[in-house]
Amino acid sequence: MLRRANGSSKNIPLKQIKVSTKIHSFAADVTITQFFHNEEQTSIEAVYCFPIEENAAVYAFAAKIDDREIVAQLKEKKQAQREYSDARILA
């Protein structure tokens, strides 16, 4: 789900989804590609939420926004939240 970061309950519409899976013995490598579309006339700040199983792990994340590709640096949650808050203050 992609929702506005300002606390609004309005979600950004999911337009398309693609899933590919590779099975390796007792593990699966799953790639999910989701396409969202901001129907607003202006840019928005959004939060991406995706529920995963307790024993699952995310090892890569990339987002393409217009012509830019953003590749995530995976970090512990608390550290990532601190860095995000600090960056917003500096912006």
Side-chain angles (χ1 to χ4, degrees):
M1 170 181 22
L2 191 62
R3 69 176 196 275
R4 292 175 166 272
N6 65 3
S8 168
S9 61
K10 187 174 181 184
N11 293 333
I12 292 79
L14 175 63
K15 298 295 186 177
Q16 184 180 7
I17 187 167
K18 292 192 274 185
V19 179
S20 65
T21 306
K22 295 178 185 172
I23 305 296
H24 308 281
S25 190
F26 293 101
D29 186 2
V30 180
T31 300
I32 301 170
T33 305
Q34 296 176 316
F35 296 90
F36 294 89
H37 180 69
N38 174 18
E39 295 175 344
E40 303 292 323
Q41 296 299 316
T42 59
S43 297
I44 61 169
E45 182 179 6
V47 175
Y48 178 74
C49 300
F50 188 82
I52 61 172
E53 224 11 78
E54 183 177 323
N55 293 326
V58 175
Y59 63 88
F61 180 88
K64 187 171 183 182
I65 302 170
D66 294 326
D67 294 332
R68 297 182 313 155
E69 183 172 32
I70 300 166
V71 178
Q73 296 176 1
L74 302 178
K75 300 179 180 186
E76 292 294 326
K77 184 176 183 176
K78 294 230 183 268
Q79 179 187 354
Q81 287 173 334
R82 272 194 311 274
E83 290 179 18
Y84 178 75
S85 294
D86 292 347
R88 287 194 62 199
I89 291 169
L90 296 174

